Amino acid sequence: QAQLVESGGGLVQPGGSLRLSCAASGFSLDYYVMGWFRQVPGKEREGVSCISVNDGSTYYADSVRGRFSISRDNAQNTVYLQMNSLKPEDTAVYNCVAGRSCHTLRDDFHSRGQGTQVTVSS
């Protein structure tokens, strides 16, 4: 059964860092673009970042560019999101998604994880 499981969330002070992981089981990430989305209750899901299959192209939302970094380790079947200089407005549930295109990942995906809570607060 295809599954994505996120980990690494938690409570961090403003300016701090967290590294989220997304581990796949039941399928290989080799053939999928991988993205991170986040959602706050009452707000629309926001695409945070995406990484391509082969050439390592990455995409970031304007709100996180320069602070977040996405990477993938296909040998470990895992994708990461390094989050630095965190702000209170980064507080959300973050989930990872596997799909065929970074441009259509919001609505067209193969698998999506349940999410991990990130809270940025002093």
Side-chain angles (χ1 to χ4, degrees):
Q1 181 180 357
Q3 191 175 15
L4 292 172
V5 178
E6 302 91 342
S7 61
L11 173 64
V12 63
Q13 291 187 342
S17 297
L18 283 175
R19 188 195 196 201
L20 304 184
S21 299
C22 170
S25 60
F27 71 105
S28 172
L29 294 185
D30 289 7
Y31 308 106
Y32 296 95
V33 303
M34 294 299 299
W36 287 93
F37 288 78
R38 65 186 181 186
Q39 188 161 26
V40 176
K43 291 190 176 181
E44 203 169 301
R45 287 176 71 233
E46 178 187 13
V48 175
S49 184
C50 190
I51 186 167
S52 67
V53 175
N54 292 319
D55 66 3
S57 296
T58 55
Y59 305 91
Y60 297 95
D62 289 343
S63 57
V64 307
R65 187 174 291 112
R67 300 187 297 121
F68 290 12
S69 178
I70 189 171
S71 61
R72 64 192 299 159
D73 184 342
N74 287 354
Q76 296 295 323
N77 226 23
T78 301
V79 175
Y80 305 97
L81 185 68
Q82 178 68 42
M83 306 186 297
N84 299 327
S85 302
L86 282 161
K87 304 175 181 180
E89 51 264 44
D90 294 319
T91 296
V93 174
Y94 286 71
N95 64 349
C96 61
V97 183
R100 299 194 179 279
S101 169
C102 285
H103 302 291
T104 59
L105 199 56
R106 182 187 303 274
D107 299 311
D108 181 15
F109 57 89
H110 174 270
S111 295
R112 188 168 73 188
Q114 291 297 309
T116 184
Q117 175 71 45
V118 172
T119 302
V120 185
S121 175
S122 55

PDB file of all heavy atoms in Angstrom, residues 16-18 20 36-38 46-49 58-71 80-87 89-92 94 118 120:
ATOM      1  N   GLY A  16      14.069  29.970  14.763  1.00  0.00           N
ATOM      2  CA  GLY A  16      14.622  28.626  14.863  1.00  0.00           C
ATOM      3  C   GLY A  16      14.489  27.843  13.571  1.00  0.00           C
ATOM      4  O   GLY A  16      14.033  28.361  12.543  1.00  0.00           O
ATOM      5  N   SER A  17      14.908  26.579  13.652  1.00  0.00           N
ATOM      6  CA  SER A  17      14.913  25.705  12.476  1.00  0.00           C
ATOM      7  C   SER A  17      14.263  24.370  12.799  1.00  0.00           C
ATOM      8  O   SER A  17      14.291  23.911  13.947  1.00  0.00           O
ATOM      9  CB  SER A  17      16.350  25.451  12.009  1.00  0.00           C
ATOM     10  OG  SER A  17      16.977  26.653  11.608  1.00  0.00           O
ATOM     11  N   LEU A  18      13.722  23.771  11.768  1.00  0.00           N
ATOM     12  CA  LEU A  18      13.219  22.406  11.833  1.00  0.00           C
ATOM     13  C   LEU A  18      13.516  21.733  10.509  1.00  0.00           C
ATOM     14  O   LEU A  18      13.591  22.398   9.467  1.00  0.00           O
ATOM     15  CB  LEU A  18      11.711  22.363  12.077  1.00  0.00           C
ATOM     16  CG  LEU A  18      11.174  22.631  13.473  1.00  0.00           C
ATOM     17  CD1 LEU A  18       9.648  22.667  13.454  1.00  0.00           C
ATOM     18  CD2 LEU A  18      11.660  21.575  14.465  1.00  0.00           C
ATOM     19  N   LEU A  20      11.866  18.730   8.301  1.00  0.00           N
ATOM     20  CA  LEU A  20      10.804  17.754   8.112  1.00  0.00           C
ATOM     21  C   LEU A  20      11.282  16.645   7.184  1.00  0.00           C
ATOM     22  O   LEU A  20      12.033  16.895   6.243  1.00  0.00           O
ATOM     23  CB  LEU A  20       9.571  18.417   7.509  1.00  0.00           C
ATOM     24  CG  LEU A  20       8.991  19.613   8.259  1.00  0.00           C
ATOM     25  CD1 LEU A  20       7.712  20.076   7.573  1.00  0.00           C
ATOM     26  CD2 LEU A  20       8.734  19.290   9.716  1.00  0.00           C
ATOM     27  N   TRP A  36       5.762  19.843  -0.865  1.00  0.00           N
ATOM     28  CA  TRP A  36       5.295  20.100   0.496  1.00  0.00           C
ATOM     29  C   TRP A  36       4.197  21.167   0.427  1.00  0.00           C
ATOM     30  O   TRP A  36       4.346  22.181  -0.248  1.00  0.00           O
ATOM     31  CB  TRP A  36       6.425  20.591   1.392  1.00  0.00           C
ATOM     32  CG  TRP A  36       7.404  19.531   1.779  1.00  0.00           C
ATOM     33  CD1 TRP A  36       8.576  19.221   1.147  1.00  0.00           C
ATOM     34  CD2 TRP A  36       7.311  18.654   2.900  1.00  0.00           C
ATOM     35  NE1 TRP A  36       9.207  18.191   1.804  1.00  0.00           N
ATOM     36  CE2 TRP A  36       8.452  17.824   2.887  1.00  0.00           C
ATOM     37  CE3 TRP A  36       6.374  18.467   3.929  1.00  0.00           C
ATOM     38  CZ2 TRP A  36       8.692  16.840   3.853  1.00  0.00           C
ATOM     39  CZ3 TRP A  36       6.609  17.498   4.881  1.00  0.00           C
ATOM     40  CH2 TRP A  36       7.750  16.698   4.837  1.00  0.00           C
ATOM     41  N   PHE A  37       3.117  20.901   1.141  1.00  0.00           N
ATOM     42  CA  PHE A  37       2.029  21.854   1.279  1.00  0.00           C
ATOM     43  C   PHE A  37       1.833  22.129   2.762  1.00  0.00           C
ATOM     44  O   PHE A  37       2.274  21.362   3.614  1.00  0.00           O
ATOM     45  CB  PHE A  37       0.730  21.274   0.696  1.00  0.00           C
ATOM     46  CG  PHE A  37       0.717  21.203  -0.801  1.00  0.00           C
ATOM     47  CD1 PHE A  37       1.400  20.200  -1.473  1.00  0.00           C
ATOM     48  CD2 PHE A  37       0.018  22.137  -1.542  1.00  0.00           C
ATOM     49  CE1 PHE A  37       1.394  20.133  -2.859  1.00  0.00           C
ATOM     50  CE2 PHE A  37      -0.003  22.080  -2.928  1.00  0.00           C
ATOM     51  CZ  PHE A  37       0.679  21.076  -3.586  1.00  0.00           C
ATOM     52  N   ARG A  38       1.161  23.222   3.054  1.00  0.00           N
ATOM     53  CA  ARG A  38       0.820  23.490   4.449  1.00  0.00           C
ATOM     54  C   ARG A  38      -0.586  24.071   4.523  1.00  0.00           C
ATOM     55  O   ARG A  38      -1.076  24.675   3.570  1.00  0.00           O
ATOM     56  CB  ARG A  38       1.829  24.442   5.096  1.00  0.00           C
ATOM     57  CG  ARG A  38       1.866  25.846   4.524  1.00  0.00           C
ATOM     58  CD  ARG A  38       3.016  26.626   5.165  1.00  0.00           C
ATOM     59  NE  ARG A  38       3.089  28.000   4.675  1.00  0.00           N
ATOM     60  CZ  ARG A  38       4.060  28.850   4.988  1.00  0.00           C
ATOM     61  NH1 ARG A  38       5.059  28.473   5.782  1.00  0.00           N
ATOM     62  NH2 ARG A  38       4.033  30.081   4.506  1.00  0.00           N
ATOM     63  N   GLU A  46      -1.628  25.789   1.067  1.00  0.00           N
ATOM     64  CA  GLU A  46      -0.608  26.562   0.356  1.00  0.00           C
ATOM     65  C   GLU A  46       0.516  25.648  -0.092  1.00  0.00           C
ATOM     66  O   GLU A  46       1.050  24.872   0.706  1.00  0.00           O
ATOM     67  CB  GLU A  46      -0.038  27.650   1.277  1.00  0.00           C
ATOM     68  CG  GLU A  46       1.055  28.478   0.647  1.00  0.00           C
ATOM     69  CD  GLU A  46       1.721  29.436   1.622  1.00  0.00           C
ATOM     70  OE1 GLU A  46       1.520  29.300   2.843  1.00  0.00           O
ATOM     71  OE2 GLU A  46       2.461  30.331   1.154  1.00  0.00           O
ATOM     72  N   GLY A  47       0.857  25.735  -1.346  1.00  0.00           N
ATOM     73  CA  GLY A  47       2.024  25.019  -1.840  1.00  0.00           C
ATOM     74  C   GLY A  47       3.282  25.690  -1.330  1.00  0.00           C
ATOM     75  O   GLY A  47       3.444  26.905  -1.525  1.00  0.00           O
ATOM     76  N   VAL A  48       4.145  24.947  -0.696  1.00  0.00           N
ATOM     77  CA  VAL A  48       5.356  25.495  -0.091  1.00  0.00           C
ATOM     78  C   VAL A  48       6.566  25.303  -0.996  1.00  0.00           C
ATOM     79  O   VAL A  48       7.313  26.244  -1.256  1.00  0.00           O
ATOM     80  CB  VAL A  48       5.614  24.846   1.278  1.00  0.00           C
ATOM     81  CG1 VAL A  48       6.941  25.308   1.870  1.00  0.00           C
ATOM     82  CG2 VAL A  48       4.463  25.135   2.235  1.00  0.00           C
ATOM     83  N   SER A  49       6.721  24.069  -1.456  1.00  0.00           N
ATOM     84  CA  SER A  49       7.913  23.772  -2.241  1.00  0.00           C
ATOM     85  C   SER A  49       7.691  22.500  -3.032  1.00  0.00           C
ATOM     86  O   SER A  49       6.852  21.670  -2.685  1.00  0.00           O
ATOM     87  CB  SER A  49       9.124  23.599  -1.310  1.00  0.00           C
ATOM     88  OG  SER A  49      10.305  23.390  -2.050  1.00  0.00           O
ATOM     89  N   THR A  58      13.967  22.956  -8.310  1.00  0.00           N
ATOM     90  CA  THR A  58      13.163  23.199  -7.116  1.00  0.00           C
ATOM     91  C   THR A  58      12.320  24.456  -7.282  1.00  0.00           C
ATOM     92  O   THR A  58      12.686  25.377  -8.025  1.00  0.00           O
ATOM     93  CB  THR A  58      14.051  23.347  -5.875  1.00  0.00           C
ATOM     94  OG1 THR A  58      15.018  24.390  -6.113  1.00  0.00           O
ATOM     95  CG2 THR A  58      14.781  22.052  -5.565  1.00  0.00           C
ATOM     96  N   TYR A  59      11.210  24.474  -6.574  1.00  0.00           N
ATOM     97  CA  TYR A  59      10.291  25.600  -6.626  1.00  0.00           C
ATOM     98  C   TYR A  59       9.891  25.943  -5.192  1.00  0.00           C
ATOM     99  O   TYR A  59       9.723  25.052  -4.357  1.00  0.00           O
ATOM    100  CB  TYR A  59       9.046  25.238  -7.439  1.00  0.00           C
ATOM    101  CG  TYR A  59       9.368  24.737  -8.826  1.00  0.00           C
ATOM    102  CD1 TYR A  59       9.552  23.383  -9.068  1.00  0.00           C
ATOM    103  CD2 TYR A  59       9.486  25.625  -9.891  1.00  0.00           C
ATOM    104  CE1 TYR A  59       9.862  22.917 -10.334  1.00  0.00           C
ATOM    105  CE2 TYR A  59       9.789  25.169 -11.160  1.00  0.00           C
ATOM    106  CZ  TYR A  59       9.978  23.814 -11.376  1.00  0.00           C
ATOM    107  OH  TYR A  59      10.287  23.360 -12.638  1.00  0.00           O
ATOM    108  N   TYR A  60       9.731  27.235  -4.954  1.00  0.00           N
ATOM    109  CA  TYR A  60       9.369  27.685  -3.608  1.00  0.00           C
ATOM    110  C   TYR A  60       8.306  28.772  -3.675  1.00  0.00           C
ATOM    111  O   TYR A  60       8.306  29.608  -4.593  1.00  0.00           O
ATOM    112  CB  TYR A  60      10.595  28.243  -2.881  1.00  0.00           C
ATOM    113  CG  TYR A  60      11.678  27.222  -2.656  1.00  0.00           C
ATOM    114  CD1 TYR A  60      12.750  27.099  -3.541  1.00  0.00           C
ATOM    115  CD2 TYR A  60      11.638  26.370  -1.556  1.00  0.00           C
ATOM    116  CE1 TYR A  60      13.739  26.149  -3.344  1.00  0.00           C
ATOM    117  CE2 TYR A  60      12.616  25.418  -1.353  1.00  0.00           C
ATOM    118  CZ  TYR A  60      13.660  25.311  -2.251  1.00  0.00           C
ATOM    119  OH  TYR A  60      14.635  24.366  -2.050  1.00  0.00           O
ATOM    120  N   ALA A  61       7.433  28.762  -2.695  1.00  0.00           N
ATOM    121  CA  ALA A  61       6.501  29.878  -2.543  1.00  0.00           C
ATOM    122  C   ALA A  61       7.298  31.120  -2.160  1.00  0.00           C
ATOM    123  O   ALA A  61       8.331  31.020  -1.479  1.00  0.00           O
ATOM    124  CB  ALA A  61       5.474  29.556  -1.462  1.00  0.00           C
ATOM    125  N   ASP A  62       6.823  32.268  -2.568  1.00  0.00           N
ATOM    126  CA  ASP A  62       7.522  33.516  -2.240  1.00  0.00           C
ATOM    127  C   ASP A  62       7.687  33.680  -0.732  1.00  0.00           C
ATOM    128  O   ASP A  62       8.691  34.229  -0.263  1.00  0.00           O
ATOM    129  CB  ASP A  62       6.743  34.711  -2.800  1.00  0.00           C
ATOM    130  CG  ASP A  62       6.807  34.791  -4.312  1.00  0.00           C
ATOM    131  OD1 ASP A  62       7.686  34.139  -4.908  1.00  0.00           O
ATOM    132  OD2 ASP A  62       5.967  35.502  -4.893  1.00  0.00           O
ATOM    133  N   SER A  63       6.727  33.178   0.009  1.00  0.00           N
ATOM    134  CA  SER A  63       6.737  33.361   1.463  1.00  0.00           C
ATOM    135  C   SER A  63       7.845  32.589   2.157  1.00  0.00           C
ATOM    136  O   SER A  63       8.179  32.890   3.315  1.00  0.00           O
ATOM    137  CB  SER A  63       5.382  32.955   2.047  1.00  0.00           C
ATOM    138  OG  SER A  63       5.071  31.617   1.697  1.00  0.00           O
ATOM    139  N   VAL A  64       8.432  31.593   1.475  1.00  0.00           N
ATOM    140  CA  VAL A  64       9.456  30.775   2.127  1.00  0.00           C
ATOM    141  C   VAL A  64      10.788  30.779   1.388  1.00  0.00           C
ATOM    142  O   VAL A  64      11.783  30.253   1.896  1.00  0.00           O
ATOM    143  CB  VAL A  64       8.993  29.303   2.298  1.00  0.00           C
ATOM    144  CG1 VAL A  64       7.652  29.236   3.003  1.00  0.00           C
ATOM    145  CG2 VAL A  64       8.940  28.586   0.964  1.00  0.00           C
ATOM    146  N   ARG A  65      10.816  31.385   0.200  1.00  0.00           N
ATOM    147  CA  ARG A  65      12.045  31.362  -0.593  1.00  0.00           C
ATOM    148  C   ARG A  65      13.182  32.026   0.174  1.00  0.00           C
ATOM    149  O   ARG A  65      13.021  33.092   0.756  1.00  0.00           O
ATOM    150  CB  ARG A  65      11.821  32.068  -1.929  1.00  0.00           C
ATOM    151  CG  ARG A  65      13.003  31.935  -2.886  1.00  0.00           C
ATOM    152  CD  ARG A  65      12.685  32.516  -4.242  1.00  0.00           C
ATOM    153  NE  ARG A  65      11.689  31.727  -4.958  1.00  0.00           N
ATOM    154  CZ  ARG A  65      10.462  32.149  -5.226  1.00  0.00           C
ATOM    155  NH1 ARG A  65      10.080  33.348  -4.850  1.00  0.00           N
ATOM    156  NH2 ARG A  65       9.613  31.380  -5.880  1.00  0.00           N
ATOM    157  N   GLY A  66      14.326  31.361   0.172  1.00  0.00           N
ATOM    158  CA  GLY A  66      15.480  31.870   0.898  1.00  0.00           C
ATOM    159  C   GLY A  66      15.568  31.371   2.329  1.00  0.00           C
ATOM    160  O   GLY A  66      16.608  31.514   2.968  1.00  0.00           O
ATOM    161  N   ARG A  67      14.478  30.804   2.836  1.00  0.00           N
ATOM    162  CA  ARG A  67      14.480  30.273   4.203  1.00  0.00           C
ATOM    163  C   ARG A  67      14.308  28.762   4.232  1.00  0.00           C
ATOM    164  O   ARG A  67      14.836  28.094   5.130  1.00  0.00           O
ATOM    165  CB  ARG A  67      13.340  30.922   5.009  1.00  0.00           C
ATOM    166  CG  ARG A  67      13.434  32.428   5.129  1.00  0.00           C
ATOM    167  CD  ARG A  67      12.369  32.968   6.079  1.00  0.00           C
ATOM    168  NE  ARG A  67      11.006  32.713   5.614  1.00  0.00           N
ATOM    169  CZ  ARG A  67      10.097  32.023   6.288  1.00  0.00           C
ATOM    170  NH1 ARG A  67      10.396  31.506   7.470  1.00  0.00           N
ATOM    171  NH2 ARG A  67       8.881  31.855   5.796  1.00  0.00           N
ATOM    172  N   PHE A  68      13.564  28.218   3.294  1.00  0.00           N
ATOM    173  CA  PHE A  68      13.305  26.779   3.235  1.00  0.00           C
ATOM    174  C   PHE A  68      14.105  26.162   2.099  1.00  0.00           C
ATOM    175  O   PHE A  68      14.359  26.801   1.069  1.00  0.00           O
ATOM    176  CB  PHE A  68      11.821  26.508   2.998  1.00  0.00           C
ATOM    177  CG  PHE A  68      10.902  26.836   4.148  1.00  0.00           C
ATOM    178  CD1 PHE A  68      11.337  27.571   5.251  1.00  0.00           C
ATOM    179  CD2 PHE A  68       9.602  26.394   4.132  1.00  0.00           C
ATOM    180  CE1 PHE A  68      10.487  27.868   6.296  1.00  0.00           C
ATOM    181  CE2 PHE A  68       8.729  26.683   5.167  1.00  0.00           C
ATOM    182  CZ  PHE A  68       9.179  27.424   6.247  1.00  0.00           C
ATOM    183  N   SER A  69      14.428  24.887   2.275  1.00  0.00           N
ATOM    184  CA  SER A  69      15.157  24.157   1.244  1.00  0.00           C
ATOM    185  C   SER A  69      14.621  22.734   1.149  1.00  0.00           C
ATOM    186  O   SER A  69      14.583  22.019   2.156  1.00  0.00           O
ATOM    187  CB  SER A  69      16.652  24.144   1.568  1.00  0.00           C
ATOM    188  OG  SER A  69      17.364  23.402   0.598  1.00  0.00           O
ATOM    189  N   ILE A  70      14.242  22.330  -0.055  1.00  0.00           N
ATOM    190  CA  ILE A  70      13.725  20.983  -0.266  1.00  0.00           C
ATOM    191  C   ILE A  70      14.829  20.121  -0.871  1.00  0.00           C
ATOM    192  O   ILE A  70      15.640  20.604  -1.676  1.00  0.00           O
ATOM    193  CB  ILE A  70      12.477  21.007  -1.183  1.00  0.00           C
ATOM    194  CG1 ILE A  70      11.799  19.647  -1.222  1.00  0.00           C
ATOM    195  CG2 ILE A  70      12.830  21.507  -2.580  1.00  0.00           C
ATOM    196  CD1 ILE A  70      10.438  19.663  -1.935  1.00  0.00           C
ATOM    197  N   SER A  71      14.866  18.863  -0.481  1.00  0.00           N
ATOM    198  CA  SER A  71      15.833  17.932  -1.050  1.00  0.00           C
ATOM    199  C   SER A  71      15.228  16.534  -1.038  1.00  0.00           C
ATOM    200  O   SER A  71      14.236  16.283  -0.350  1.00  0.00           O
ATOM    201  CB  SER A  71      17.149  17.953  -0.266  1.00  0.00           C
ATOM    202  OG  SER A  71      16.951  17.570   1.077  1.00  0.00           O
ATOM    203  N   TYR A  80      12.985  15.763   2.124  1.00  0.00           N
ATOM    204  CA  TYR A  80      13.192  16.605   3.300  1.00  0.00           C
ATOM    205  C   TYR A  80      12.779  18.045   3.009  1.00  0.00           C
ATOM    206  O   TYR A  80      12.812  18.502   1.865  1.00  0.00           O
ATOM    207  CB  TYR A  80      14.660  16.586   3.711  1.00  0.00           C
ATOM    208  CG  TYR A  80      15.206  15.203   3.955  1.00  0.00           C
ATOM    209  CD1 TYR A  80      15.906  14.525   2.965  1.00  0.00           C
ATOM    210  CD2 TYR A  80      15.011  14.574   5.185  1.00  0.00           C
ATOM    211  CE1 TYR A  80      16.392  13.250   3.184  1.00  0.00           C
ATOM    212  CE2 TYR A  80      15.505  13.299   5.409  1.00  0.00           C
ATOM    213  CZ  TYR A  80      16.196  12.641   4.404  1.00  0.00           C
ATOM    214  OH  TYR A  80      16.681  11.378   4.632  1.00  0.00           O
ATOM    215  N   LEU A  81      12.428  18.730   4.064  1.00  0.00           N
ATOM    216  CA  LEU A  81      12.202  20.170   3.980  1.00  0.00           C
ATOM    217  C   LEU A  81      12.937  20.811   5.148  1.00  0.00           C
ATOM    218  O   LEU A  81      12.526  20.662   6.302  1.00  0.00           O
ATOM    219  CB  LEU A  81      10.718  20.516   4.030  1.00  0.00           C
ATOM    220  CG  LEU A  81      10.397  21.997   3.823  1.00  0.00           C
ATOM    221  CD1 LEU A  81      10.717  22.412   2.382  1.00  0.00           C
ATOM    222  CD2 LEU A  81       8.934  22.302   4.145  1.00  0.00           C
ATOM    223  N   GLN A  82      14.028  21.472   4.846  1.00  0.00           N
ATOM    224  CA  GLN A  82      14.781  22.209   5.859  1.00  0.00           C
ATOM    225  C   GLN A  82      14.192  23.590   5.985  1.00  0.00           C
ATOM    226  O   GLN A  82      14.108  24.329   4.994  1.00  0.00           O
ATOM    227  CB  GLN A  82      16.258  22.296   5.469  1.00  0.00           C
ATOM    228  CG  GLN A  82      17.109  23.081   6.441  1.00  0.00           C
ATOM    229  CD  GLN A  82      17.252  22.398   7.782  1.00  0.00           C
ATOM    230  OE1 GLN A  82      17.447  21.197   7.861  1.00  0.00           O
ATOM    231  NE2 GLN A  82      17.144  23.165   8.869  1.00  0.00           N
ATOM    232  N   MET A  83      13.762  23.932   7.184  1.00  0.00           N
ATOM    233  CA  MET A  83      13.100  25.211   7.418  1.00  0.00           C
ATOM    234  C   MET A  83      13.924  26.022   8.404  1.00  0.00           C
ATOM    235  O   MET A  83      14.112  25.616   9.555  1.00  0.00           O
ATOM    236  CB  MET A  83      11.693  24.976   7.967  1.00  0.00           C
ATOM    237  CG  MET A  83      10.848  24.057   7.096  1.00  0.00           C
ATOM    238  SD  MET A  83       9.129  23.930   7.650  1.00  0.00           S
ATOM    239  CE  MET A  83       9.353  23.205   9.251  1.00  0.00           C
ATOM    240  N   ASN A  84      14.430  27.138   7.940  1.00  0.00           N
ATOM    241  CA  ASN A  84      15.243  28.030   8.770  1.00  0.00           C
ATOM    242  C   ASN A  84      14.544  29.364   8.957  1.00  0.00           C
ATOM    243  O   ASN A  84      13.602  29.692   8.221  1.00  0.00           O
ATOM    244  CB  ASN A  84      16.611  28.238   8.119  1.00  0.00           C
ATOM    245  CG  ASN A  84      17.402  26.963   7.951  1.00  0.00           C
ATOM    246  OD1 ASN A  84      17.302  26.042   8.763  1.00  0.00           O
ATOM    247  ND2 ASN A  84      18.187  26.900   6.886  1.00  0.00           N
ATOM    248  N   SER A  85      15.017  30.109   9.901  1.00  0.00           N
ATOM    249  CA  SER A  85      14.467  31.451  10.179  1.00  0.00           C
ATOM    250  C   SER A  85      12.943  31.424  10.259  1.00  0.00           C
ATOM    251  O   SER A  85      12.253  32.234   9.640  1.00  0.00           O
ATOM    252  CB  SER A  85      14.916  32.440   9.093  1.00  0.00           C
ATOM    253  OG  SER A  85      16.327  32.490   9.028  1.00  0.00           O
ATOM    254  N   LEU A  86      12.445  30.477  11.018  1.00  0.00           N
ATOM    255  CA  LEU A  86      10.999  30.276  11.083  1.00  0.00           C
ATOM    256  C   LEU A  86      10.298  31.469  11.717  1.00  0.00           C
ATOM    257  O   LEU A  86      10.832  32.121  12.635  1.00  0.00           O
ATOM    258  CB  LEU A  86      10.692  28.993  11.855  1.00  0.00           C
ATOM    259  CG  LEU A  86      10.912  27.717  11.034  1.00  0.00           C
ATOM    260  CD1 LEU A  86      11.040  26.500  11.927  1.00  0.00           C
ATOM    261  CD2 LEU A  86       9.771  27.526  10.036  1.00  0.00           C
ATOM    262  N   LYS A  87       9.093  31.710  11.212  1.00  0.00           N
ATOM    263  CA  LYS A  87       8.269  32.825  11.670  1.00  0.00           C
ATOM    264  C   LYS A  87       6.945  32.279  12.213  1.00  0.00           C
ATOM    265  O   LYS A  87       6.513  31.191  11.801  1.00  0.00           O
ATOM    266  CB  LYS A  87       7.988  33.770  10.505  1.00  0.00           C
ATOM    267  CG  LYS A  87       9.218  34.300   9.799  1.00  0.00           C
ATOM    268  CD  LYS A  87       8.825  35.117   8.588  1.00  0.00           C
ATOM    269  CE  LYS A  87      10.043  35.636   7.838  1.00  0.00           C
ATOM    270  NZ  LYS A  87       9.659  36.436   6.644  1.00  0.00           N
ATOM    271  N   GLU A  89       4.084  32.961  11.334  1.00  0.00           N
ATOM    272  CA  GLU A  89       3.173  32.698  10.209  1.00  0.00           C
ATOM    273  C   GLU A  89       3.477  31.419   9.459  1.00  0.00           C
ATOM    274  O   GLU A  89       2.723  31.023   8.569  1.00  0.00           O
ATOM    275  CB  GLU A  89       3.155  33.880   9.230  1.00  0.00           C
ATOM    276  CG  GLU A  89       4.523  34.352   8.778  1.00  0.00           C
ATOM    277  CD  GLU A  89       5.027  35.529   9.593  1.00  0.00           C
ATOM    278  OE1 GLU A  89       4.903  35.518  10.844  1.00  0.00           O
ATOM    279  OE2 GLU A  89       5.582  36.468   8.971  1.00  0.00           O
ATOM    280  N   ASP A  90       4.559  30.750   9.807  1.00  0.00           N
ATOM    281  CA  ASP A  90       4.856  29.430   9.238  1.00  0.00           C
ATOM    282  C   ASP A  90       4.117  28.327   9.980  1.00  0.00           C
ATOM    283  O   ASP A  90       4.153  27.170   9.556  1.00  0.00           O
ATOM    284  CB  ASP A  90       6.355  29.143   9.293  1.00  0.00           C
ATOM    285  CG  ASP A  90       7.164  30.069   8.401  1.00  0.00           C
ATOM    286  OD1 ASP A  90       6.724  30.348   7.274  1.00  0.00           O
ATOM    287  OD2 ASP A  90       8.249  30.510   8.854  1.00  0.00           O
ATOM    288  N   THR A  91       3.457  28.664  11.064  1.00  0.00           N
ATOM    289  CA  THR A  91       2.704  27.670  11.820  1.00  0.00           C
ATOM    290  C   THR A  91       1.599  27.071  10.958  1.00  0.00           C
ATOM    291  O   THR A  91       0.786  27.786  10.383  1.00  0.00           O
ATOM    292  CB  THR A  91       2.085  28.321  13.074  1.00  0.00           C
ATOM    293  OG1 THR A  91       3.134  28.766  13.943  1.00  0.00           O
ATOM    294  CG2 THR A  91       1.198  27.335  13.817  1.00  0.00           C
ATOM    295  N   ALA A  92       1.595  25.741  10.857  1.00  0.00           N
ATOM    296  CA  ALA A  92       0.636  25.042  10.007  1.00  0.00           C
ATOM    297  C   ALA A  92       0.862  23.549  10.134  1.00  0.00           C
ATOM    298  O   ALA A  92       1.852  23.105  10.724  1.00  0.00           O
ATOM    299  CB  ALA A  92       0.805  25.468   8.546  1.00  0.00           C
ATOM    300  N   TYR A  94       2.001  20.576   7.942  1.00  0.00           N
ATOM    301  CA  TYR A  94       2.755  20.389   6.704  1.00  0.00           C
ATOM    302  C   TYR A  94       2.590  18.948   6.238  1.00  0.00           C
ATOM    303  O   TYR A  94       2.783  18.012   7.024  1.00  0.00           O
ATOM    304  CB  TYR A  94       4.229  20.682   6.924  1.00  0.00           C
ATOM    305  CG  TYR A  94       4.539  22.149   7.069  1.00  0.00           C
ATOM    306  CD1 TYR A  94       4.155  22.840   8.217  1.00  0.00           C
ATOM    307  CD2 TYR A  94       5.221  22.843   6.073  1.00  0.00           C
ATOM    308  CE1 TYR A  94       4.433  24.194   8.357  1.00  0.00           C
ATOM    309  CE2 TYR A  94       5.504  24.192   6.206  1.00  0.00           C
ATOM    310  CZ  TYR A  94       5.113  24.863   7.341  1.00  0.00           C
ATOM    311  OH  TYR A  94       5.398  26.194   7.468  1.00  0.00           O
ATOM    312  N   VAL A 118       3.647  21.962  12.670  1.00  0.00           N
ATOM    313  CA  VAL A 118       4.755  22.871  12.955  1.00  0.00           C
ATOM    314  C   VAL A 118       4.169  24.096  13.646  1.00  0.00           C
ATOM    315  O   VAL A 118       3.256  24.733  13.114  1.00  0.00           O
ATOM    316  CB  VAL A 118       5.495  23.285  11.675  1.00  0.00           C
ATOM    317  CG1 VAL A 118       6.514  24.397  11.979  1.00  0.00           C
ATOM    318  CG2 VAL A 118       6.197  22.086  11.056  1.00  0.00           C
ATOM    319  N   VAL A 120       5.319  27.694  15.473  1.00  0.00           N
ATOM    320  CA  VAL A 120       6.391  28.654  15.715  1.00  0.00           C
ATOM    321  C   VAL A 120       5.862  29.695  16.695  1.00  0.00           C
ATOM    322  O   VAL A 120       4.989  30.493  16.355  1.00  0.00           O
ATOM    323  CB  VAL A 120       6.858  29.319  14.421  1.00  0.00           C
ATOM    324  CG1 VAL A 120       8.058  30.228  14.701  1.00  0.00           C
ATOM    325  CG2 VAL A 120       7.211  28.267  13.371  1.00  0.00           C
TER     326      VAL A 120
END
